[in-house]
Amino acid sequence: MTKILDVLERYYDAVPRVGGARGEDFGALTLFVQEGDGWPYYARPALGGPSASASDVERVLARQRELKLPESFEWVAETNPSLRAAVEAAGLRVHAYPLMALDPAAPPLAPHPDVRLLGPGDPLLAAAVTVPMLAFAAPGTALGEAGPAELAVAVADPAVAARRAMISGKLASGTTAMAAAARDGVVLCSGQYNPVGEVAEIVGVGTLPAARRQGLALGVTAALVADALARGVTTVFLTAGDEDVARVYGRAGFLRVGTGLIAEPPPEEKEERS
């Protein structure tokens, strides 16, 4: 287990840099700051660094506030067990998620007939980058209300065009790959993976709430895994939203290898600063 967590630690340190972020050194912690358009990254333990204290966390928080960045820390519980107490002492709230890696011996899932990979100019791309936002607004695996009508409204938001352009650029450069499940031209589920060398993280797999419980997320995950392995990736991993979602990924051959932790201010503090 230690070996896979070491692999993931190196990935976590590398992927923001590949995505266009610079790393600011705070000793025990590294703050990743996006340069130009792209994801607003987080702070995390410095690769091979000492344990972080509450004062280290406070220094990073001050810098995040100065730069008007999300006050966010991400790390693996088993690799940096003392960081939780430090971030909680600084007033942040910690959320835990199952961290899972693909079992190399797991048999591949059969391709789903409604799922395909998307290219940078795909006409479904705008909807594909929007579906996860509707999915994560109503998390879990239960059926929900948001369906094609809500998706059509969300896609019309002007902010979607910028997000589509960003993902299109990443698809063209090979820094991400995307798959979607669609029926009659309507995207029902989508997801991505981000490769760095021989490691890839599957991210943002979300199903339109009204289309859940049809195996679409498994189909999208299977397509992403197959594509990553075909491109020479040897380690595929992801963070599940909760234990129910983890059980779904277990059917795709993923095994629990650790616990991903995310720390951020309590909701009331986030609202005050927004």
Side-chain angles (χ1 to χ4, degrees), residues 120-148:
D122 199 294
L124 296 182
L125 191 55
V129 302
T130 307
V131 163
M133 294 189 293
L134 295 174
F136 300 146
T141 60
L143 284 171
E145 296 183 359

Side-chain angles (χ1 to χ4, degrees), residues 65-158:
R65 292 166 189 156
E66 177 188 357
L67 297 174
K68 295 182 171 55
L69 297 174
E71 296 171 28
S72 176
F73 292 73
E74 297 189 12
W75 73 102
V76 176
E78 291 77 6
T79 307
N80 292 276
S82 65
L83 184 53
R84 180 166 191 156
V87 299
E88 289 179 336
L92 301 182
R93 182 172 295 176
V94 178
H95 308 275
Y97 303 95
L99 181 63
M100 310 182 76
L102 182 68
D103 180 357
L109 293 176
H112 194 290
D114 295 324
V115 176
R116 63 178 173 84
L117 296 169
L118 304 185
D122 199 294
L124 296 182
L125 191 55
V129 302
T130 307
V131 163
M133 294 189 293
L134 295 174
F136 300 146
T141 60
L143 284 171
E145 296 183 359
E150 288 77 10
L151 176 60
V153 172
V155 169
D157 187 320

Side-chain angles (χ1 to χ4, degrees), residues 8-268:
L8 299 192
E9 284 299 312
R10 291 192 292 273
Y11 175 92
Y12 285 131
D13 185 74
V15 72
R17 306 177 199 273
V18 173
R22 70 176 186 272
E24 294 193 0
D25 182 10
F26 286 82
L29 297 166
T30 301
L31 172 61
F32 292 104
V33 180
Q34 182 61 260
E35 298 186 313
D37 296 331
W39 309 115
Y41 284 104
Y42 39 75
R44 62 171 292 103
L47 192 61
S51 297
S53 65
S55 61
D56 293 324
V57 173
E58 291 285 4
R59 287 198 303 130
V60 173
L61 283 171
R63 180 61 171 159
Q64 288 172 324
R65 292 166 189 156
E66 177 188 357
L67 297 174
K68 295 182 171 55
L69 297 174
E71 296 171 28
S72 176
F73 292 73
E74 297 189 12
W75 73 102
V76 176
E78 291 77 6
T79 307
N80 292 276
S82 65
L83 184 53
R84 180 166 191 156
V87 299
E88 289 179 336
L92 301 182
R93 182 172 295 176
V94 178
H95 308 275
Y97 303 95
L99 181 63
M100 310 182 76
L102 182 68
D103 180 357
L109 293 176
H112 194 290
D114 295 324
V115 176
R116 63 178 173 84
L117 296 169
L118 304 185
D122 199 294
L124 296 182
L125 191 55
V129 302
T130 307
V131 163
M133 294 189 293
L134 295 174
F136 300 146
T141 60
L143 284 171
E145 296 183 359
E150 288 77 10
L151 176 60
V153 172
V155 169
D157 187 320
V160 169
R163 180 168 174 78
R164 182 203 176 283
M166 181 182 68
I167 297 298
S168 177
K170 291 172 67 66
L171 289 169
S173 68
T175 55
T176 197
M178 192 168 208
R183 291 180 189 145
D184 300 322
V186 178
V187 175
L188 301 177
C189 180
S190 65
Q192 299 168 239
Y193 74 80
N194 300 322
V196 176
E198 296 182 351
V199 184
E201 180 181 17
I202 293 179
V203 298
V205 176
T207 303
L208 206 58
R212 287 173 176 157
R213 300 197 171 184
Q214 300 180 45
L216 299 177
L218 275 180
V220 165
T221 301
L224 294 171
V225 167
D227 188 64
L229 296 178
R231 294 192 189 188
V233 167
T234 57
T235 300
V236 183
F237 76 101
L238 54 82
T239 303
D242 57 33
E243 296 296 339
D244 288 338
V245 175
R247 282 189 282 274
V248 173
Y249 284 123
R251 299 204 296 271
F254 285 83
L255 303 175
R256 179 80 174 259
V257 296
T259 304
L261 299 180
I262 297 177
E264 57 188 6
E268 57 272 18

